[in-house]
Amino acid sequence: MADYKKYLDPEILSRISRLELRARRVVEGFVSGMHRSPYHGFSVEFAAHREYVPGDDIRHIDWRLYARGDRLYIKQYEEETNLRTTVLLDCSASMLYPEHDRRAGSGILSRAGRRPAWRNKYDYAATLAASLIYLLMHQQDACGLVLFDHEIREQVPPTSQTAQLRAMIDLIERRPPSGATDVKMTLTGLAERMRRRGLVVLISDLLTDPQDVISGLQQLKHRGQDLIVMHVLDEDELKFPFSDNTLFEGIEQPVHSLVDPQALRASYLEIVGAFISRIRSACMDHGIDYVLLSTADPLDAGLSAYLARRMHRTSRR
Amino acid sequence: MDSANLILGAMITPAMAYAGLAAAALPVLIHLFNRRRFRRIRWAATDFLLEAERRNRRRTRLEEMILIALRCLAMALLGAALARWYVQPRSLVAALGASARTDHIIVLDDSYSMSALREGHDVAAGSADPDASDDTTNRIFHEARSAARQIVDHIRQVAPEDAVTVILASRPDRPVRSVTSVGQVPEQTWADDINALQPSSRAGNMPAALEAVRKLLDTRESTVRAAVYVISDFQAIDWIPASSGGADVNASANAGNVPTGPATALAGWMQRDRSLQLVLVDVGRTITSNLSVVAVRPDQPQAVAGVVGRYHVTVTNYGTEASSPREMRIFMGDTALPPVTVPMIAPNASVDVPVELAFGQPGSQRLTVQFEPDALPVDNVRSRAVAVERALRLLIVNGEASPDPYQDEAFLLNVALRPEGPEFSGNEVVVINEDEFEVADLADYHAVLLLNVNRVTHEMAGRLEQYAAAGGGVAFFLGDQVDAAVYNRLLYRGGAGVLPIRLGDQLSAGTDQGGLQIIPDDEAEARGLRFGSAAALLLRDARVWQHFSTTADTDMGAQASAPAGSEGAPINDDAMTNGATTLPQSTPADRPSATVLLRLDDADRTPLLIERPFGRGHVLLFASSADKEWNNLPDQPVYVVLMLELIQRVARSSEAAQDQLVGEPIRLDVDPAAYSPSAMLRLPTYPDTPAVRLEVRPNGENGQVMLEWANADRPGLYQFDLRRLDGEEVTRQVAVNLDPREGDLRRADRSALLATMGNLPVSYVTGDTLAEQARAEARQELWPLLLGVLVFVLTLEQGLAWWFGADRSWQRALRWTAS
């Protein structure tokens, strides 16, 4: 039995529970809720007028407007619907970083006074995913889970049944990260399968070809999905704090390199920075929310900050 | 030494350089070792890492190589600095073709003090005379040779193109070897030349030596850089001007910049905008004890075979401690006499040791005195050439002959001069009358005594003057036949004649008064009257009742125009009258060079016995009679001794009794009328060296002719074999001795020595440190430069290491975080 409390940190949940995760775009939903529906049906909220064309439902003709203009227009209504969210959790082997001991004296430059709270990125990402799932279910949105590495390993269709939360967590727990990362394959596969619009939250370190990531995201976007990319990286991957001679062995790739980290730090950071910038720019260009999360930062702070910003943006529309 | 070595130099401690080179490998080894120590990390962002590595691979390797190279260089620099790497700038300059030639002149002090024994080679009592051996390795001069070789070798190594001249201080005008390029002469040749040098027998004359160096440099107009090396024992007497004559050897230093002492000559050369370096190489040692025989002189001017003569040997203690009593050996020729004990001598004091001996045979003899060897053996021996006469031949001109011996003027004197007894008096006396004087050959006699002679002619006066001037002795004894006016006019001639003093009136003290007592002059003893201090006692009973007064000439010029007949006027026999001319009162005989030995005890202290040098001879006047007519002196026991002494004082000195010092030319006057114009000279080294034929030449000083030998450069007896015109062979010997002053071995104080150099650039080194100091001065050590470079390299390494390892990523991180 998975210790689902492991991924549902009360502190985190308490911080985000007051927040809402709204679809930024109007998506379809099957539970009446707070999300806007792209369908202009008989919802209570008037949206716009459209000139009558033969075949329209005459019940929606706005007679008052006809009386003014001697022309026929029908009313269109926005329909609030439930959000369908799919959380894509990267469970490739790279998410297992770090595998080594972070205790003091291990040759890694660490921030003073900070003790890493997460064993690895997967812990962090899994907690993040669980937290989001909890939030969505809490706001009666349907939420599904996809575990992937170079392909989709596990999938739980979106559901708003809270009982599925434990099943998902159990799934997270039971599926240790392994394998290489192929985000494009996953996203492309999902894009083909997802008929209905919804929200897709990608939680991954994206340590693969950025173009593949962008391509995959583009495909989802073209399908009308609302995307959020939560880029989870370890502090080490962001800061490269190593000083001693280190033999780096690839987790996903069978490579190793004995280097002087201090000699490479500047270039490494430049490369990482460029990678992140590229992903971010691509997301921005396609209207995809991008959040960079470091495992050294408190998850609740990062997540709640993001959710607050998103709430602010979506409420203005 | 090839050019590479000249440029690269050498190292004082090469082992450290090797250690440095070995240590230079340490950074590489450490680097390799560190590469084997690493952490293992399983890494996710492999692509980024690989890309970063790809981008930095070349730069990283370059940085590693730079840092490793700097660290290796630092180790090597440390090793080189500790190895005290040096270069020789002059050789570097020469190797690069620039001109930096220096004219090196090495002056070896070869004065005889340099033959003092070296430290640790002192002669034990009873040991053999080191001078008997040709081995000089136990002498200070041996160290001087060693120093000279070291200097030449050093110059050959560092500046083979430089000129080198080696000279001896005793003969600076004849260099041992002089070359314009020291490297042209093989090293062994230099060594052979120097090893063959021996100390001379001359005293030091450093002023002359350095003056010669100065002249040598003057002749080399192209020389602008000179180095003069003086290798010496630096005796105070040679170097400190105030030290001669026993003065304080460490006289006050020269407070100014003007050089004093021997180095003065070099200062003038420097003033011509040339550069000079004077190097004083001290090879001497402090010797606390040295006895030196400084003089051997006779008490009497003649030596007569069979007659005991007294000699005085002066011994000086030049040491700083009192000497112990020791025996002095005496040799007459090769015959050893019983040794004489020399008492303890205080430091810097001298003693006179009397020695009495009688030469058995006439002719040229040698007297040698000698001590046991000490630190300076050569000055422990001294010789004297003695011309021993068979007898002193005396001619008595009897002015009043009588068959009655007690009336005869000359009888008593004759007896006194040849007293009967087993001991030979040494005198042969010939008595003639006045009229026989004309035919007498005065040259056969050592002295001529005129007793109460009346008949004085112009010719006689002339012959006597000529005889005395040539060295003969003339003694006048007066009496009642003496015509004072004639004597004054012909013999005194206003002081120009042979009579030592002017005669005054004939005076009578009166027999009833007992006559006048004879007393010695106050200075009689100082003037060599043998029994001067006892003369008063010995003459106590002697009385003079008749004598001539005497007077000194106070105005020699007044006689120039004296009227005829008076003294000083041209001799005119017609003017010879009764001599009743009134003469000035007699005054104490204070005429220059005339000395009074005895006086009369009257109010005027009338001179009685007066002597005076005349030419090369002596003249003497006894103002009373030789017999008992005017005095009772012949009755006194002292009469014989007095007459014998007077004869010794006035008689001709033994011929060729010459003693001189090493280095002085020997000049022997020869009478061309008597001797052949050529002679053979036997040197002290005869028969090892053959005799030398000499020809007479003019003596510019006295108009005579002489035999001259200018190369008396070693002590010993120089024997001249002459031949008289009648065929008789005559031998004359000259003893050449060391200059005793050189035996003063006290050394010049270093500070006082350097003070005499004024502003001359001077270096002072000792012989045992010469090599090291020469190397040290010739080389320029690079350790300060290397340490400076080392510090720079270490700073550079640290700076580059920091720069290479600097977290430049934070700037980039800021950029993409903000983007």
Side-chain angles (χ1 to χ4, degrees):
Chain A
M1 184 73 176
D3 181 7
Y4 94 127
K5 290 183 179 178
K6 170 182 173 182
Y7 299 107
L8 293 176
D9 190 317
E11 184 176 344
I12 298 172
L13 295 180
S14 69
R15 289 195 64 175
I16 66 175
S17 61
R18 293 186 293 275
L19 301 173
E20 299 173 342
L21 178 59
R22 293 188 175 185
R24 194 170 69 182
R25 298 182 60 189
V26 176
V27 297
E28 297 175 344
F30 61 90
V31 175
S32 176
M34 63 184 95
H35 306 287
R36 294 178 182 160
S37 168
Y39 302 106
H40 293 159
F42 50 87
S43 113
V44 295
E45 188 170 355
F46 170 78
H49 286 101
R50 177 172 62 83
E51 190 172 6
Y52 172 80
V53 293
D56 289 334
D57 190 350
I58 61 174
R59 291 178 293 176
H60 295 152
I61 295 174
D62 190 346
W63 295 110
R64 289 183 182 177
L65 188 63
Y66 176 71
R68 299 196 200 112
D70 200 20
R71 292 184 72 169
L72 292 172
Y73 292 92
I74 64 168
K75 296 179 182 177
Q76 287 185 304
Y77 297 92
E78 285 188 354
E79 181 180 28
E80 289 188 355
T81 180
N82 301 100
L83 179 63
R84 288 175 61 84
T85 303
T86 303
V87 176
L88 308 181
L89 177 60
D90 185 354
C91 64
S92 64
S94 63
M95 295 297 287
L96 281 175
Y97 183 84
E99 295 183 355
H100 58 270
D101 191 353
R102 285 190 196 266
R103 289 173 296 180
S106 59
I108 301 174
L109 303 178
S110 61
R111 288 175 294 180
R114 297 292 296 267
R115 288 189 59 193
W118 316 100
R119 282 190 312 163
N120 47 48
K121 289 183 292 186
Y122 187 74
D123 265 6
Y124 186 95
T127 305
L128 176 61
S131 301
L132 285 173
I133 294 172
Y134 175 86
L135 173 63
L136 290 164
M137 287 187 170
H138 182 71
Q139 61 188 39
Q140 298 180 347
D141 284 328
C143 185
L145 176 65
V146 172
L147 302 180
F148 71 94
D149 46 31
H150 61 277
E151 60 185 9
I152 296 174
R153 292 296 182 184
E154 300 289 347
Q155 184 172 10
V156 176
T159 175
S160 59
Q161 297 179 16
T162 56
Q164 291 299 317
L165 176 59
R166 293 188 182 189
M168 291 184 214
I169 291 173
D170 184 55
L171 192 64
I172 291 172
E173 180 72 12
R174 283 189 291 109
R175 187 73 176 94
S178 66
T181 305
D182 191 343
V183 175
K184 178 180 180 180
M185 179 77 72
T186 301
L187 296 179
T188 302
L190 283 175
E192 293 173 351
R193 297 179 196 174
M194 296 175 86
R195 304 286 180 187
R196 297 183 63 182
R197 297 181 179 179
L199 178 62
V200 175
V201 180
L202 174 61
I203 303 176
S204 171
D205 57 10
L206 303 180
L207 293 179
T208 185
D209 187 350
Q211 188 56 46
D212 290 346
V213 174
I214 295 170
S215 298
L217 291 173
Q218 285 175 338
Q219 295 207 18
L220 277 175
K221 197 67 181 177
H222 288 156
R223 299 283 180 162
Q225 303 296 334
D226 191 4
L227 293 170
I228 299 174
V229 174
M230 292 194 171
H231 194 179
V232 177
L233 290 173
D234 188 84
E235 184 75 2
D236 293 349
E237 292 167 335
L238 290 172
K239 298 292 179 64
F240 205 65
F242 309 100
S243 57
D244 296 343
N245 276 356
T246 306
L247 177 65
F248 292 95
E249 296 175 334
I251 294 178
E252 291 185 5
Q253 301 175 37
V255 297
H256 59 272
S257 180
L258 177 62
V259 300
D260 177 8
Q262 295 191 69
L264 301 183
R265 180 176 300 115
S267 293
Y268 174 88
L269 295 179
E270 185 177 355
I271 295 168
V272 166
F275 166 75
I276 294 172
S277 295
R278 186 178 178 188
I279 300 293
R280 177 188 290 116
S281 297
C283 290
M284 289 178 62
D285 292 343
H286 293 86
I288 302 172
D289 274 2
Y290 174 86
V291 183
L292 177 64
L293 296 170
S294 167
T295 57
D297 297 330
L299 189 150
D300 54 347
L303 179 58
S304 57
Y306 166 72
L307 291 176
R309 289 196 303 272
R310 186 179 174 92
M311 276 183 63
H312 179 72
R313 287 199 308 269
T314 54
S315 65
R316 289 170 58 188
R317 299 191 61 175
Chain B
M1 181 179 289
D2 55 23
S3 297
N5 281 335
L6 288 175
I7 294 174
L8 294 177
M11 300 182 189
I12 297 174
T13 316
M16 297 306 297
Y18 299 141
L21 285 177
L26 282 179
V28 176
L29 296 177
I30 293 172
H31 174 74
L32 295 176
F33 178 73
N34 285 338
R35 286 184 66 82
R36 294 174 64 84
R37 298 177 61 221
F38 51 82
R39 299 183 66 248
R40 286 175 182 271
I41 291 181
R42 298 267 295 165
W43 183 250
T46 310
D47 292 342
F48 303 153
L49 183 68
L50 294 176
E51 177 61 20
E53 187 185 15
R54 186 191 66 79
R55 290 185 185 184
N56 292 276
R57 183 174 301 124
R58 290 183 64 184
R59 180 184 64 82
T60 304
R61 287 183 180 175
L62 182 62
E63 289 175 353
E64 285 181 352
M65 290 172 59
I66 290 173
L67 291 178
I68 291 175
L70 289 174
R71 292 160 188 164
C72 293
L73 178 60
M75 299 306 296
L77 286 172
L78 181 61
L82 293 176
R84 297 179 66 187
W85 187 16
Y86 66 89
V87 293
Q88 292 159 329
R90 292 188 58 243
S91 57
L92 177 63
V93 170
L96 295 177
S99 174
R101 295 182 72 246
T102 300
D103 206 332
H104 303 270
I105 300 176
I106 302 171
V107 181
L108 273 88
D109 178 1
D110 62 333
S111 61
Y112 77 78
S113 66
M114 295 290 285
S115 60
L117 296 173
R118 292 168 57 195
E119 192 82 37
H121 291 266
D122 289 333
V123 179
S127 300
D129 184 356
D131 284 343
S133 167
D134 291 336
D135 180 18
T136 57
T137 59
N138 57 350
R139 310 305 175 95
I140 290 177
F141 194 74
H142 176 72
E143 298 192 10
R145 288 194 297 242
S146 174
R149 288 196 308 271
Q150 289 181 48
I151 293 172
V152 172
D153 288 345
H154 175 70
I155 297 171
R156 281 175 52 85
Q157 290 180 12
V158 302
E161 299 302 317
D162 283 2
V164 174
T165 302
V166 178
I167 62 175
L168 292 172
S170 64
R171 48 182 179 93
D173 55 332
R174 290 179 289 155
V176 174
R177 184 174 288 277
S178 182
V179 295
T180 56
S181 180
V182 64
Q184 293 177 351
V185 178
E187 181 179 354
Q188 188 59 44
T189 303
W190 280 107
D192 291 343
D193 284 348
I194 294 173
N195 290 339
L197 298 176
Q198 298 291 332
S200 72
S201 298
R202 300 192 178 212
N205 191 354
M206 296 312 297
L210 294 182
E211 178 63 32
V213 170
R214 157 76 182 274
K215 291 179 180 177
L216 183 64
L217 290 174
D218 286 342
T219 62
R220 300 173 179 178
E221 295 180 352
S222 63
T223 297
V224 293
R225 289 165 53 99
V228 179
Y229 310 82
V230 179
I231 306 173
S232 172
D233 56 356
F234 292 100
Q235 287 175 280
I237 198 168
D238 288 334
W239 290 91
I240 309 299
S243 296
S244 60
D248 182 9
V249 299
N250 294 316
S252 58
N254 176 21
N257 291 328
V258 179
T260 58
T264 305
L266 297 177
W269 189 81
M270 261 195 66
Q271 292 173 358
R272 300 181 189 178
D273 298 329
R274 296 173 176 139
S275 92
L276 172 74
Q277 179 68 34
L278 179 60
V279 181
L280 307 180
V281 184
D282 188 355
V283 296
R285 71 176 183 110
T286 300
I287 297 175
T288 59
S289 172
N290 181 41
L291 288 186
S292 177
V293 181
V294 299
V296 178
R297 66 179 188 280
D299 219 10
Q300 58 286 320
Q302 309 89 12
V304 180
V307 178
V308 174
R310 174 177 285 204
Y311 295 84
H312 294 270
V313 180
T314 305
V315 181
T316 300
N317 179 11
Y318 284 122
T320 56
E321 303 168 348
S323 66
S324 58
R326 62 191 66 192
E327 286 189 345
M328 180 173 65
R329 294 181 291 171
I330 305 170
F331 299 86
M332 285 193 306
D334 296 327
T335 303
L337 299 183
V340 175
T341 300
V342 177
M344 182 270 291
I345 307 175
N348 295 323
S350 300
V351 295
D352 261 2
V353 181
V355 175
E356 291 186 348
L357 53 89
F359 290 94
Q361 299 295 326
S364 194
Q365 304 290 338
R366 184 183 66 198
L367 175 63
T368 304
V369 296
Q370 186 174 7
F371 281 106
E372 284 186 349
D374 55 13
L376 183 61
V378 294
D379 66 347
N380 291 12
V381 60
R382 202 166 191 87
S383 297
R384 183 175 182 89
V386 182
V388 181
E389 304 284 354
R390 180 175 54 82
L392 289 185
R393 290 175 55 81
L394 306 174
L395 177 65
I396 294 179
V397 181
N398 192 346
E400 189 178 12
S402 170
D404 181 358
Y406 294 95
Q407 297 297 320
D408 187 83
E409 194 76 28
F411 174 77
L412 294 174
L413 180 59
N414 192 2
V415 172
L417 293 177
R418 292 186 307 165
E420 292 184 2
E423 297 292 331
F424 175 49
S425 67
N427 299 321
E428 286 183 359
V429 181
V430 173
V431 182
I432 61 173
N433 297 324
E434 292 182 19
D435 52 3
E436 295 176 302
F437 181 85
E438 293 179 358
V439 299
D441 185 1
L442 301 184
D444 289 341
Y445 301 96
H446 292 86
V448 175
L449 293 78
L450 292 90
L451 275 56
N452 199 15
V453 172
N454 172 265
R455 187 179 172 189
V456 176
T457 64
H458 187 71
E459 179 193 7
M460 174 189 285
R463 288 181 63 199
L464 288 174
E465 289 182 9
Q466 186 177 12
Y467 169 75
V474 179
F476 294 93
F477 291 83
L478 303 181
D480 57 354
Q481 299 196 94
V482 168
D483 186 339
V486 173
Y487 270 54
N488 289 335
R489 189 173 74 249
L490 298 182
L491 295 175
Y492 181 68
R493 294 200 307 109
V498 71
L499 194 65
I501 199 168
R502 183 200 309 276
L503 297 182
D505 295 330
Q506 181 178 330
L507 301 177
S508 173
T511 56
D512 56 338
Q513 297 175 13
L516 296 172
Q517 193 173 3
I518 302 174
I519 58 175
D521 183 81
D522 296 337
E523 300 297 324
E525 186 176 10
R527 290 165 182 160
L529 193 64
R530 185 177 304 183
F531 51 87
S533 62
L537 179 63
L538 295 172
L539 295 170
R540 181 182 59 186
D541 296 328
R543 295 292 184 272
V544 174
W545 48 84
Q546 290 274 2
H547 68 279
F548 274 92
S549 66
T550 56
T551 181
D553 248 345
T554 57
D555 185 3
M556 301 288 287
Q559 307 306 317
S561 57
S566 64
E567 63 181 86
I571 295 175
N572 184 345
D573 288 345
D574 293 339
M576 292 178 60
T577 58
N578 59 4
T581 304
T582 301
L583 298 175
Q585 290 292 321
S586 63
T587 57
D590 56 356
R591 179 193 303 272
S593 73
T595 56
V596 178
L597 299 177
L598 297 175
R599 295 180 182 272
L600 293 175
D601 187 18
D602 59 359
D604 297 325
R605 289 169 56 84
T606 302
L608 180 65
L609 181 62
I610 307 100
E611 72 169 347
R612 197 185 77 175
F614 189 93
R616 294 168 55 191
H618 280 80
V619 292
L620 189 148
L621 171 68
F622 186 74
S624 184
S625 66
D627 60 6
K628 295 195 298 183
E629 187 170 353
W630 283 10
N631 59 72
N632 69 346
L633 190 57
D635 289 334
Q636 306 304 313
V638 72
Y639 179 74
V640 173
V641 178
L642 180 61
M643 291 302 117
L644 288 175
E645 181 174 348
L646 293 182
I647 291 303
Q648 286 188 336
R649 291 178 74 90
V650 74
R652 185 202 315 270
S653 298
S654 300
E655 291 184 281
Q658 291 180 251
D659 284 297
Q660 54 189 79
L661 303 178
V662 171
E664 296 176 347
I666 301 174
R667 297 192 176 108
L668 200 65
D669 285 337
V670 175
D671 183 359
Y675 292 93
S676 169
S678 66
M680 298 299 293
L681 170 64
R682 302 188 201 183
L683 301 173
T685 51
Y686 181 86
D688 295 334
T689 54
V692 180
R693 174 174 290 277
L694 299 178
E695 302 293 333
V696 298
R697 52 193 292 269
N699 185 338
E701 294 179 1
N702 56 15
Q704 309 265 338
V705 294
M706 66 177 180
L707 295 169
E708 183 181 34
W709 179 250
N711 299 324
D713 56 359
R714 58 184 303 143
L717 229 56
Y718 290 72
Q719 182 172 305
F720 291 82
D721 296 327
L722 298 93
R723 181 186 294 277
R724 298 175 69 92
L725 293 179
D726 59 7
E728 178 185 0
E729 292 191 353
V730 176
T731 296
R732 292 188 189 174
Q733 290 182 329
V734 176
V736 176
N737 291 286
L738 302 177
D739 187 336
R741 295 175 303 168
E742 188 67 17
D744 185 354
L745 301 179
R746 289 175 293 176
R747 284 159 52 75
D749 178 74
R750 175 178 173 173
S751 57
L753 173 66
L754 294 178
T756 65
M757 301 299 160
N759 60 355
L760 280 176
V762 178
S763 300
Y764 177 92
V765 300
T766 56
D768 53 355
T769 62
L770 172 64
E772 181 55 36
Q773 293 196 23
R775 284 192 294 269
E777 290 178 4
R779 64 190 176 213
Q780 181 172 343
E781 292 194 34
L782 299 179
W783 66 264
L785 175 64
L786 293 173
L787 280 184
V789 174
L790 174 62
V791 169
F792 172 75
V793 169
L794 290 176
T795 305
L796 181 63
E797 190 272 342
Q798 288 293 303
L800 287 178
W802 174 83
W803 172 249
F804 293 158
D807 190 6
R808 287 168 278 182
S809 63
W810 65 269
Q811 296 177 352
R812 295 187 180 85
L814 279 181
R815 285 197 294 270
W816 64 256
T817 301
S819 64

